[in-house]
Short mmCIF file of all heavy atoms in Angstrom, two decimals:
data_model
loop_
_atom_site.label_atom_id
_atom_site.label_comp_id
_atom_site.label_asym_id
_atom_site.label_seq_id
_atom_site.Cartn_x
_atom_site.Cartn_y
_atom_site.Cartn_z
N MET U 1 6.73 75.41 -61.81
CA MET U 1 5.89 76.27 -61.00
C MET U 1 5.72 77.61 -61.70
O MET U 1 6.65 78.12 -62.32
CB MET U 1 6.52 76.44 -59.64
CG MET U 1 5.80 77.40 -58.77
SD MET U 1 5.81 76.80 -57.11
CE MET U 1 4.73 77.96 -56.39
N LEU U 2 4.56 78.18 -61.59
CA LEU U 2 4.28 79.46 -62.22
C LEU U 2 4.83 80.59 -61.37
O LEU U 2 4.67 80.62 -60.15
CB LEU U 2 2.77 79.63 -62.39
CG LEU U 2 2.07 78.54 -63.20
CD1 LEU U 2 0.57 78.79 -63.22
CD2 LEU U 2 2.61 78.49 -64.60
N ASN U 3 5.49 81.55 -62.00
CA ASN U 3 6.07 82.69 -61.31
C ASN U 3 5.15 83.88 -61.38
O ASN U 3 4.45 84.08 -62.38
CB ASN U 3 7.42 83.04 -61.91
CG ASN U 3 8.42 81.93 -61.76
OD1 ASN U 3 8.41 81.22 -60.77
ND2 ASN U 3 9.28 81.77 -62.76
N MET U 4 5.18 84.69 -60.34
CA MET U 4 4.35 85.89 -60.30
C MET U 4 4.87 86.91 -61.32
O MET U 4 6.06 86.97 -61.61
CB MET U 4 4.39 86.52 -58.91
CG MET U 4 3.81 85.62 -57.85
SD MET U 4 2.11 85.24 -58.21
CE MET U 4 1.31 86.13 -56.95
N VAL U 5 3.97 87.71 -61.84
CA VAL U 5 4.32 88.77 -62.79
C VAL U 5 4.30 90.08 -62.02
O VAL U 5 3.31 90.42 -61.37
CB VAL U 5 3.30 88.81 -63.95
CG1 VAL U 5 3.61 89.96 -64.88
CG2 VAL U 5 3.29 87.50 -64.68
N VAL U 6 5.39 90.81 -62.06
CA VAL U 6 5.49 92.09 -61.35
C VAL U 6 5.29 93.22 -62.35
O VAL U 6 5.97 93.29 -63.38
CB VAL U 6 6.86 92.22 -60.65
CG1 VAL U 6 6.95 93.56 -59.94
CG2 VAL U 6 7.07 91.08 -59.69
N PHE U 7 4.33 94.08 -62.06
CA PHE U 7 4.04 95.21 -62.94
C PHE U 7 3.74 96.43 -62.07
O PHE U 7 2.77 96.43 -61.31
CB PHE U 7 2.84 94.90 -63.84
CG PHE U 7 2.49 95.99 -64.79
CD1 PHE U 7 3.31 96.28 -65.87
CD2 PHE U 7 1.36 96.75 -64.62
CE1 PHE U 7 3.01 97.29 -66.75
CE2 PHE U 7 1.04 97.77 -65.49
CZ PHE U 7 1.86 98.04 -66.56
N GLY U 8 4.58 97.44 -62.16
CA GLY U 8 4.38 98.65 -61.38
C GLY U 8 4.51 98.41 -59.88
O GLY U 8 3.85 99.09 -59.09
N GLY U 9 5.32 97.45 -59.49
CA GLY U 9 5.50 97.16 -58.09
C GLY U 9 4.44 96.25 -57.50
O GLY U 9 4.47 95.93 -56.31
N LEU U 10 3.48 95.84 -58.29
CA LEU U 10 2.42 94.93 -57.83
C LEU U 10 2.65 93.54 -58.41
O LEU U 10 3.06 93.41 -59.56
CB LEU U 10 1.05 95.44 -58.26
CG LEU U 10 0.64 96.81 -57.72
CD1 LEU U 10 -0.65 97.26 -58.38
CD2 LEU U 10 0.45 96.74 -56.21
N GLU U 11 2.36 92.54 -57.62
CA GLU U 11 2.50 91.16 -58.09
C GLU U 11 1.14 90.65 -58.56
O GLU U 11 0.14 90.78 -57.86
CB GLU U 11 3.02 90.26 -56.98
CG GLU U 11 4.46 90.52 -56.62
CD GLU U 11 5.00 89.56 -55.59
OE1 GLU U 11 4.18 88.82 -54.99
OE2 GLU U 11 6.22 89.53 -55.39
N PHE U 12 1.13 90.06 -59.73
CA PHE U 12 -0.08 89.51 -60.31
C PHE U 12 0.11 88.02 -60.57
O PHE U 12 1.22 87.55 -60.79
CB PHE U 12 -0.43 90.20 -61.64
CG PHE U 12 -0.81 91.63 -61.48
CD1 PHE U 12 0.11 92.63 -61.70
CD2 PHE U 12 -2.09 91.98 -61.10
CE1 PHE U 12 -0.23 93.96 -61.57
CE2 PHE U 12 -2.46 93.30 -60.96
CZ PHE U 12 -1.51 94.30 -61.19
N SER U 13 -0.98 87.33 -60.60
CA SER U 13 -0.96 85.92 -60.97
C SER U 13 -0.52 85.80 -62.43
O SER U 13 -0.85 86.66 -63.26
CB SER U 13 -2.36 85.33 -60.81
OG SER U 13 -2.44 84.06 -61.39
N PRO U 14 0.19 84.74 -62.77
CA PRO U 14 0.59 84.58 -64.17
C PRO U 14 -0.60 84.39 -65.10
O PRO U 14 -0.48 84.60 -66.31
CB PRO U 14 1.49 83.35 -64.16
CG PRO U 14 1.35 82.74 -62.84
CD PRO U 14 0.76 83.73 -61.91
N LEU U 15 -1.74 84.03 -64.55
CA LEU U 15 -2.92 83.89 -65.40
C LEU U 15 -3.36 85.21 -66.00
O LEU U 15 -4.08 85.24 -67.00
CB LEU U 15 -4.06 83.25 -64.61
CG LEU U 15 -3.86 81.79 -64.26
CD1 LEU U 15 -5.02 81.27 -63.43
CD2 LEU U 15 -3.70 80.95 -65.50
N VAL U 16 -2.93 86.33 -65.39
CA VAL U 16 -3.21 87.64 -65.95
C VAL U 16 -2.59 87.77 -67.33
O VAL U 16 -3.13 88.45 -68.21
CB VAL U 16 -2.71 88.76 -65.00
CG1 VAL U 16 -2.79 90.12 -65.63
CG2 VAL U 16 -3.48 88.72 -63.69
N VAL U 17 -1.47 87.10 -67.55
CA VAL U 17 -0.81 87.11 -68.86
C VAL U 17 -1.38 86.01 -69.75
O VAL U 17 -1.59 86.22 -70.95
CB VAL U 17 0.71 86.93 -68.69
CG1 VAL U 17 1.39 86.83 -70.03
CG2 VAL U 17 1.29 88.06 -67.87
N TYR U 18 -1.65 84.85 -69.17
CA TYR U 18 -2.07 83.69 -69.96
C TYR U 18 -3.50 83.82 -70.49
O TYR U 18 -3.80 83.36 -71.60
CB TYR U 18 -1.94 82.42 -69.15
CG TYR U 18 -0.54 82.12 -68.67
CD1 TYR U 18 -0.32 81.42 -67.52
CD2 TYR U 18 0.57 82.57 -69.38
CE1 TYR U 18 0.97 81.15 -67.07
CE2 TYR U 18 1.85 82.32 -68.94
CZ TYR U 18 2.04 81.60 -67.79
OH TYR U 18 3.31 81.35 -67.36
N PHE U 19 -4.40 84.43 -69.72
CA PHE U 19 -5.79 84.56 -70.17
C PHE U 19 -5.93 85.35 -71.47
O PHE U 19 -6.62 84.90 -72.39
CB PHE U 19 -6.66 85.19 -69.06
CG PHE U 19 -7.37 84.18 -68.21
CD1 PHE U 19 -6.66 83.37 -67.37
CD2 PHE U 19 -8.74 84.06 -68.27
CE1 PHE U 19 -7.30 82.43 -66.57
CE2 PHE U 19 -9.38 83.13 -67.49
CZ PHE U 19 -8.67 82.31 -66.64
N PRO U 20 -5.31 86.53 -71.58
CA PRO U 20 -5.44 87.26 -72.85
C PRO U 20 -4.84 86.52 -74.05
O PRO U 20 -5.38 86.60 -75.15
CB PRO U 20 -4.70 88.58 -72.60
CG PRO U 20 -4.67 88.72 -71.14
CD PRO U 20 -4.64 87.36 -70.57
N ILE U 21 -3.75 85.80 -73.83
CA ILE U 21 -3.15 85.04 -74.93
C ILE U 21 -4.12 83.96 -75.39
O ILE U 21 -4.37 83.80 -76.59
CB ILE U 21 -1.80 84.42 -74.49
CG1 ILE U 21 -0.78 85.53 -74.24
CG2 ILE U 21 -1.29 83.45 -75.55
CD1 ILE U 21 0.50 85.04 -73.61
N ALA U 22 -4.70 83.23 -74.44
CA ALA U 22 -5.66 82.19 -74.79
C ALA U 22 -6.90 82.79 -75.44
O ALA U 22 -7.46 82.23 -76.39
CB ALA U 22 -6.05 81.39 -73.54
N PHE U 23 -7.33 83.95 -74.95
CA PHE U 23 -8.51 84.60 -75.54
C PHE U 23 -8.24 85.02 -76.98
O PHE U 23 -9.10 84.86 -77.86
CB PHE U 23 -8.92 85.81 -74.70
CG PHE U 23 -10.09 86.54 -75.27
CD1 PHE U 23 -11.37 86.02 -75.14
CD2 PHE U 23 -9.93 87.73 -75.95
CE1 PHE U 23 -12.46 86.69 -75.68
CE2 PHE U 23 -11.00 88.39 -76.49
CZ PHE U 23 -12.28 87.88 -76.35
N LEU U 24 -7.06 85.57 -77.23
CA LEU U 24 -6.72 85.98 -78.60
C LEU U 24 -6.64 84.79 -79.55
O LEU U 24 -7.11 84.87 -80.70
CB LEU U 24 -5.40 86.75 -78.62
CG LEU U 24 -5.46 88.14 -78.01
CD1 LEU U 24 -4.06 88.75 -77.97
CD2 LEU U 24 -6.39 89.03 -78.80
N LEU U 25 -6.08 83.67 -79.07
CA LEU U 25 -6.04 82.47 -79.90
C LEU U 25 -7.44 81.95 -80.19
O LEU U 25 -7.75 81.55 -81.32
CB LEU U 25 -5.21 81.39 -79.22
CG LEU U 25 -3.70 81.65 -79.15
CD1 LEU U 25 -3.03 80.60 -78.28
CD2 LEU U 25 -3.11 81.65 -80.54
N ALA U 26 -8.31 81.95 -79.18
CA ALA U 26 -9.69 81.49 -79.38
C ALA U 26 -10.45 82.44 -80.31
O ALA U 26 -11.22 81.99 -81.17
CB ALA U 26 -10.40 81.38 -78.04
N ALA U 27 -10.23 83.74 -80.16
CA ALA U 27 -10.89 84.71 -81.04
C ALA U 27 -10.41 84.56 -82.47
O ALA U 27 -11.21 84.66 -83.42
CB ALA U 27 -10.64 86.13 -80.53
N LEU U 28 -9.12 84.32 -82.65
CA LEU U 28 -8.58 84.11 -83.99
C LEU U 28 -9.17 82.85 -84.62
O LEU U 28 -9.55 82.86 -85.80
CB LEU U 28 -7.06 84.03 -83.94
CG LEU U 28 -6.35 83.78 -85.26
CD1 LEU U 28 -6.53 84.98 -86.17
CD2 LEU U 28 -4.89 83.49 -85.03
N THR U 29 -9.26 81.79 -83.85
CA THR U 29 -9.86 80.56 -84.36
C THR U 29 -11.33 80.77 -84.72
O THR U 29 -11.80 80.29 -85.75
CB THR U 29 -9.73 79.43 -83.32
OG1 THR U 29 -8.36 79.27 -83.00
CG2 THR U 29 -10.29 78.13 -83.86
N ARG U 30 -12.04 81.49 -83.87
CA ARG U 30 -13.45 81.78 -84.16
C ARG U 30 -13.59 82.60 -85.45
O ARG U 30 -14.46 82.32 -86.27
CB ARG U 30 -14.06 82.54 -82.99
CG ARG U 30 -15.50 82.85 -83.19
CD ARG U 30 -16.08 83.59 -82.01
NE ARG U 30 -17.50 83.77 -82.21
CZ ARG U 30 -18.20 84.71 -81.65
NH1 ARG U 30 -17.64 85.53 -80.82
NH2 ARG U 30 -19.48 84.83 -81.89
N TYR U 31 -12.72 83.57 -85.62
CA TYR U 31 -12.74 84.39 -86.83
C TYR U 31 -12.49 83.54 -88.08
O TYR U 31 -13.20 83.67 -89.08
CB TYR U 31 -11.71 85.51 -86.72
CG TYR U 31 -11.57 86.33 -87.97
CD1 TYR U 31 -12.53 87.28 -88.30
CD2 TYR U 31 -10.49 86.16 -88.83
CE1 TYR U 31 -12.42 88.04 -89.45
CE2 TYR U 31 -10.37 86.92 -89.97
CZ TYR U 31 -11.33 87.85 -90.28
OH TYR U 31 -11.22 88.60 -91.43
N VAL U 32 -11.51 82.67 -88.00
CA VAL U 32 -11.19 81.80 -89.15
C VAL U 32 -12.36 80.87 -89.45
O VAL U 32 -12.72 80.67 -90.62
CB VAL U 32 -9.90 81.00 -88.87
CG1 VAL U 32 -9.70 79.91 -89.90
CG2 VAL U 32 -8.71 81.93 -88.84
N LEU U 33 -12.97 80.31 -88.41
CA LEU U 33 -14.13 79.42 -88.64
C LEU U 33 -15.29 80.16 -89.29
O LEU U 33 -15.97 79.60 -90.16
CB LEU U 33 -14.57 78.79 -87.32
CG LEU U 33 -13.66 77.73 -86.74
CD1 LEU U 33 -14.17 77.29 -85.38
CD2 LEU U 33 -13.55 76.54 -87.67
N HIS U 34 -15.52 81.40 -88.89
CA HIS U 34 -16.61 82.17 -89.50
C HIS U 34 -16.28 82.59 -90.93
O HIS U 34 -17.17 82.61 -91.78
CB HIS U 34 -16.93 83.39 -88.64
CG HIS U 34 -17.76 83.07 -87.46
ND1 HIS U 34 -19.13 82.95 -87.51
CD2 HIS U 34 -17.43 82.80 -86.18
CE1 HIS U 34 -19.60 82.65 -86.32
NE2 HIS U 34 -18.58 82.55 -85.48
N ARG U 35 -15.02 82.90 -91.18
CA ARG U 35 -14.64 83.28 -92.54
C ARG U 35 -14.74 82.10 -93.51
O ARG U 35 -15.04 82.28 -94.68
CB ARG U 35 -13.20 83.82 -92.56
CG ARG U 35 -13.03 85.14 -91.87
CD ARG U 35 -13.67 86.26 -92.60
NE ARG U 35 -12.91 86.54 -93.82
CZ ARG U 35 -13.33 87.33 -94.77
NH1 ARG U 35 -14.48 87.94 -94.66
NH2 ARG U 35 -12.60 87.53 -95.83
N LEU U 36 -14.47 80.90 -93.01
CA LEU U 36 -14.54 79.70 -93.85
C LEU U 36 -15.94 79.08 -93.88
O LEU U 36 -16.14 78.06 -94.54
CB LEU U 36 -13.53 78.66 -93.35
CG LEU U 36 -12.06 79.05 -93.46
CD1 LEU U 36 -11.19 77.98 -92.82
CD2 LEU U 36 -11.66 79.25 -94.91
N ASP U 37 -16.88 79.68 -93.17
CA ASP U 37 -18.26 79.17 -93.04
C ASP U 37 -18.31 77.78 -92.44
O ASP U 37 -19.17 76.97 -92.79
CB ASP U 37 -18.98 79.17 -94.39
CG ASP U 37 -19.69 80.48 -94.65
OD1 ASP U 37 -19.89 81.25 -93.69
OD2 ASP U 37 -20.04 80.73 -95.81
N TRP U 38 -17.41 77.50 -91.53
CA TRP U 38 -17.43 76.21 -90.85
C TRP U 38 -18.18 76.27 -89.53
O TRP U 38 -18.40 75.24 -88.90
CB TRP U 38 -16.00 75.73 -90.59
CG TRP U 38 -15.27 75.29 -91.81
CD1 TRP U 38 -15.75 75.27 -93.10
CD2 TRP U 38 -13.94 74.82 -91.88
NE1 TRP U 38 -14.77 74.83 -93.95
CE2 TRP U 38 -13.66 74.54 -93.23
CE3 TRP U 38 -12.95 74.62 -90.94
CZ2 TRP U 38 -12.43 74.07 -93.64
CZ3 TRP U 38 -11.73 74.15 -91.35
CH2 TRP U 38 -11.48 73.87 -92.70
N HIS U 39 -18.55 77.46 -89.09
CA HIS U 39 -19.24 77.57 -87.81
C HIS U 39 -20.63 76.92 -87.85
O HIS U 39 -21.17 76.56 -86.83
CB HIS U 39 -19.35 79.04 -87.38
CG HIS U 39 -20.20 79.87 -88.28
ND1 HIS U 39 -19.71 80.40 -89.46
CD2 HIS U 39 -21.48 80.26 -88.18
CE1 HIS U 39 -20.68 81.07 -90.05
NE2 HIS U 39 -21.76 81.02 -89.30
N ASP U 40 -21.19 76.75 -89.04
CA ASP U 40 -22.50 76.10 -89.17
C ASP U 40 -22.41 74.60 -88.90
O ASP U 40 -23.41 73.97 -88.56
CB ASP U 40 -23.07 76.31 -90.57
CG ASP U 40 -23.42 77.76 -90.83
OD1 ASP U 40 -23.69 78.49 -89.86
OD2 ASP U 40 -23.40 78.16 -92.01
N ARG U 41 -21.25 74.03 -89.03
CA ARG U 41 -21.08 72.59 -88.84
C ARG U 41 -20.89 72.20 -87.38
O ARG U 41 -20.88 71.03 -87.05
CB ARG U 41 -19.89 72.10 -89.64
CG ARG U 41 -20.09 72.30 -91.12
CD ARG U 41 -18.91 71.84 -91.90
NE ARG U 41 -19.15 72.11 -93.32
CZ ARG U 41 -18.23 72.15 -94.22
NH1 ARG U 41 -16.98 71.93 -93.88
NH2 ARG U 41 -18.53 72.42 -95.47
N ILE U 42 -20.71 73.20 -86.51
CA ILE U 42 -20.51 72.94 -85.09
C ILE U 42 -21.88 72.85 -84.43
O ILE U 42 -22.72 73.74 -84.59
CB ILE U 42 -19.65 74.04 -84.45
CG1 ILE U 42 -18.30 74.09 -85.14
CG2 ILE U 42 -19.50 73.80 -82.95
CD1 ILE U 42 -17.46 75.28 -84.75
N TRP U 43 -22.09 71.79 -83.67
CA TRP U 43 -23.41 71.53 -83.11
C TRP U 43 -23.76 72.53 -82.01
O TRP U 43 -24.78 73.17 -82.05
CB TRP U 43 -23.45 70.10 -82.57
CG TRP U 43 -24.78 69.68 -82.05
CD1 TRP U 43 -25.99 69.91 -82.63
CD2 TRP U 43 -25.04 68.97 -80.87
NE1 TRP U 43 -26.99 69.38 -81.87
CE2 TRP U 43 -26.42 68.78 -80.78
CE3 TRP U 43 -24.22 68.45 -79.87
CZ2 TRP U 43 -27.01 68.11 -79.73
CZ3 TRP U 43 -24.81 67.78 -78.83
CH2 TRP U 43 -26.20 67.60 -78.76
N ARG U 44 -22.89 72.65 -81.01
CA ARG U 44 -23.11 73.60 -79.91
C ARG U 44 -21.96 74.61 -79.93
O ARG U 44 -20.88 74.36 -79.39
CB ARG U 44 -23.12 72.89 -78.56
CG ARG U 44 -24.15 71.83 -78.43
CD ARG U 44 -25.43 72.41 -77.96
NE ARG U 44 -26.39 71.32 -77.72
CZ ARG U 44 -27.63 71.52 -77.44
NH1 ARG U 44 -28.09 72.74 -77.36
NH2 ARG U 44 -28.43 70.51 -77.25
N VAL U 45 -22.19 75.75 -80.53
CA VAL U 45 -21.13 76.72 -80.76
C VAL U 45 -20.58 77.26 -79.44
O VAL U 45 -19.36 77.38 -79.28
CB VAL U 45 -21.64 77.87 -81.65
CG1 VAL U 45 -20.57 78.92 -81.85
CG2 VAL U 45 -22.10 77.34 -82.99
N ALA U 46 -21.44 77.58 -78.49
CA ALA U 46 -20.98 78.16 -77.23
C ALA U 46 -20.09 77.17 -76.46
O ALA U 46 -19.03 77.55 -75.94
CB ALA U 46 -22.16 78.57 -76.37
N TRP U 47 -20.50 75.92 -76.41
CA TRP U 47 -19.69 74.90 -75.72
C TRP U 47 -18.36 74.69 -76.45
O TRP U 47 -17.33 74.49 -75.81
CB TRP U 47 -20.43 73.58 -75.62
CG TRP U 47 -21.48 73.58 -74.57
CD1 TRP U 47 -22.82 73.59 -74.76
CD2 TRP U 47 -21.28 73.60 -73.16
NE1 TRP U 47 -23.47 73.60 -73.56
CE2 TRP U 47 -22.54 73.60 -72.56
CE3 TRP U 47 -20.16 73.62 -72.34
CZ2 TRP U 47 -22.71 73.62 -71.18
CZ3 TRP U 47 -20.33 73.64 -70.98
CH2 TRP U 47 -21.58 73.64 -70.41
N PHE U 48 -18.39 74.74 -77.75
CA PHE U 48 -17.16 74.58 -78.52
C PHE U 48 -16.19 75.72 -78.23
O PHE U 48 -15.00 75.48 -78.04
CB PHE U 48 -17.50 74.53 -80.02
CG PHE U 48 -16.29 74.48 -80.89
CD1 PHE U 48 -15.58 73.30 -81.05
CD2 PHE U 48 -15.86 75.61 -81.57
CE1 PHE U 48 -14.45 73.24 -81.85
CE2 PHE U 48 -14.74 75.57 -82.38
CZ PHE U 48 -14.04 74.38 -82.52
N GLU U 49 -16.69 76.94 -78.19
CA GLU U 49 -15.82 78.08 -77.96
C GLU U 49 -15.24 78.07 -76.54
O GLU U 49 -14.07 78.40 -76.35
CB GLU U 49 -16.57 79.38 -78.23
CG GLU U 49 -16.85 79.56 -79.70
CD GLU U 49 -17.66 80.81 -80.01
OE1 GLU U 49 -18.04 81.53 -79.05
OE2 GLU U 49 -17.91 81.05 -81.19
N VAL U 50 -16.04 77.69 -75.57
CA VAL U 50 -15.53 77.60 -74.20
C VAL U 50 -14.47 76.52 -74.09
O VAL U 50 -13.41 76.72 -73.47
CB VAL U 50 -16.69 77.36 -73.20
CG1 VAL U 50 -16.16 76.98 -71.83
CG2 VAL U 50 -17.56 78.58 -73.10
N SER U 51 -14.73 75.36 -74.67
CA SER U 51 -13.76 74.27 -74.60
C SER U 51 -12.49 74.62 -75.37
O SER U 51 -11.38 74.26 -74.95
CB SER U 51 -14.36 72.97 -75.12
OG SER U 51 -14.72 73.08 -76.47
N LEU U 52 -12.63 75.34 -76.47
CA LEU U 52 -11.47 75.79 -77.22
C LEU U 52 -10.62 76.75 -76.39
O LEU U 52 -9.39 76.65 -76.36
CB LEU U 52 -11.92 76.45 -78.52
CG LEU U 52 -10.89 76.71 -79.57
CD1 LEU U 52 -10.33 75.39 -80.08
CD2 LEU U 52 -11.51 77.49 -80.71
N PHE U 53 -11.28 77.67 -75.68
CA PHE U 53 -10.57 78.60 -74.81
C PHE U 53 -9.82 77.85 -73.70
O PHE U 53 -8.66 78.15 -73.41
CB PHE U 53 -11.53 79.61 -74.19
CG PHE U 53 -10.90 80.48 -73.16
CD1 PHE U 53 -10.07 81.53 -73.52
CD2 PHE U 53 -11.11 80.26 -71.81
CE1 PHE U 53 -9.47 82.33 -72.57
CE2 PHE U 53 -10.51 81.04 -70.85
CZ PHE U 53 -9.69 82.09 -71.24
N VAL U 54 -10.46 76.86 -73.10
CA VAL U 54 -9.83 76.09 -72.03
C VAL U 54 -8.63 75.32 -72.58
O VAL U 54 -7.57 75.26 -71.93
CB VAL U 54 -10.85 75.15 -71.35
CG1 VAL U 54 -10.17 74.16 -70.44
CG2 VAL U 54 -11.88 75.96 -70.60
N CYS U 55 -8.76 74.75 -73.75
CA CYS U 55 -7.63 74.03 -74.35
C CYS U 55 -6.49 74.98 -74.67
O CYS U 55 -5.32 74.66 -74.44
CB CYS U 55 -8.09 73.30 -75.61
SG CYS U 55 -9.14 71.89 -75.29
N TYR U 56 -6.80 76.16 -75.21
CA TYR U 56 -5.75 77.14 -75.50
C TYR U 56 -5.11 77.64 -74.21
O TYR U 56 -3.91 77.88 -74.17
CB TYR U 56 -6.30 78.31 -76.30
CG TYR U 56 -6.44 78.05 -77.77
CD1 TYR U 56 -7.52 78.51 -78.48
CD2 TYR U 56 -5.47 77.34 -78.46
CE1 TYR U 56 -7.65 78.28 -79.84
CE2 TYR U 56 -5.59 77.09 -79.82
CZ TYR U 56 -6.68 77.57 -80.50
OH TYR U 56 -6.81 77.34 -81.83
N LEU U 57 -5.89 77.80 -73.15
CA LEU U 57 -5.33 78.23 -71.87
C LEU U 57 -4.39 77.17 -71.32
O LEU U 57 -3.29 77.50 -70.85
CB LEU U 57 -6.45 78.52 -70.88
CG LEU U 57 -6.01 79.00 -69.50
CD1 LEU U 57 -5.26 80.32 -69.62
CD2 LEU U 57 -7.21 79.14 -68.59
N ALA U 58 -4.79 75.91 -71.40
CA ALA U 58 -3.93 74.83 -70.93
C ALA U 58 -2.64 74.76 -71.75
O ALA U 58 -1.55 74.57 -71.19
CB ALA U 58 -4.68 73.49 -71.00
N LEU U 59 -2.75 74.94 -73.05
CA LEU U 59 -1.56 74.93 -73.91
C LEU U 59 -0.64 76.11 -73.58
O LEU U 59 0.58 75.95 -73.51
CB LEU U 59 -2.00 74.99 -75.38
CG LEU U 59 -0.86 75.00 -76.41
CD1 LEU U 59 -0.15 73.65 -76.39
CD2 LEU U 59 -1.42 75.31 -77.78
N THR U 60 -1.22 77.27 -73.35
CA THR U 60 -0.42 78.45 -73.01
C THR U 60 0.30 78.27 -71.68
O THR U 60 1.49 78.58 -71.57
CB THR U 60 -1.33 79.70 -72.95
OG1 THR U 60 -2.02 79.83 -74.18
CG2 THR U 60 -0.53 80.94 -72.69
N VAL U 61 -0.39 77.74 -70.69
CA VAL U 61 0.24 77.50 -69.39
C VAL U 61 1.34 76.45 -69.53
O VAL U 61 2.42 76.59 -68.95
CB VAL U 61 -0.81 77.07 -68.35
CG1 VAL U 61 -0.15 76.57 -67.07
CG2 VAL U 61 -1.75 78.22 -68.04
N TYR U 62 1.09 75.43 -70.31
CA TYR U 62 2.10 74.39 -70.49
C TYR U 62 3.35 74.92 -71.20
O TYR U 62 4.48 74.63 -70.79
CB TYR U 62 1.50 73.24 -71.30
CG TYR U 62 2.48 72.12 -71.57
CD1 TYR U 62 2.85 71.24 -70.55
CD2 TYR U 62 3.04 71.96 -72.83
CE1 TYR U 62 3.76 70.23 -70.80
CE2 TYR U 62 3.94 70.95 -73.08
CZ TYR U 62 4.30 70.07 -72.07
OH TYR U 62 5.20 69.06 -72.31
N LEU U 63 3.14 75.72 -72.25
CA LEU U 63 4.28 76.21 -73.02
C LEU U 63 5.04 77.34 -72.33
O LEU U 63 6.26 77.41 -72.40
CB LEU U 63 3.82 76.67 -74.40
CG LEU U 63 3.31 75.59 -75.34
CD1 LEU U 63 2.81 76.20 -76.63
CD2 LEU U 63 4.38 74.54 -75.61
N LEU U 64 4.31 78.24 -71.68
CA LEU U 64 4.95 79.41 -71.09
C LEU U 64 5.19 79.28 -69.59
O LEU U 64 5.89 80.11 -69.01
CB LEU U 64 4.11 80.66 -71.36
CG LEU U 64 3.89 81.03 -72.82
CD1 LEU U 64 3.01 82.25 -72.92
CD2 LEU U 64 5.20 81.24 -73.52
N GLY U 65 4.60 78.26 -68.99
CA GLY U 65 4.69 78.12 -67.55
C GLY U 65 6.07 77.72 -67.06
O GLY U 65 6.48 78.08 -65.97
N GLY U 66 6.80 77.00 -67.87
CA GLY U 66 8.12 76.55 -67.45
C GLY U 66 8.01 75.50 -66.34
O GLY U 66 6.97 75.31 -65.73
N ARG U 67 9.11 74.81 -66.12
CA ARG U 67 9.07 73.79 -65.06
C ARG U 67 10.25 73.92 -64.19
O ARG U 67 11.27 74.26 -64.36
CB ARG U 67 9.05 72.41 -65.66
CG ARG U 67 7.69 72.17 -66.25
CD ARG U 67 7.40 71.00 -66.81
NE ARG U 67 7.26 69.86 -67.33
CZ ARG U 67 7.01 68.63 -66.92
NH1 ARG U 67 6.92 68.24 -65.93
NH2 ARG U 67 6.85 67.63 -67.52
#
């Protein structure tokens, strides 16, 4: 189960922590793809980036969520 994150006396959803981590991983992957000129080989770039973000978010929740 996901635990609440307490910051300054306020409780936040754990997704407040997981979203930026997933976004940074997706941004890093996007940067690497553009540096290697592989972004031209992707058919639908926007759909790829959204699906990559969702996969990274799921991985982050799985790894950091605990059970």
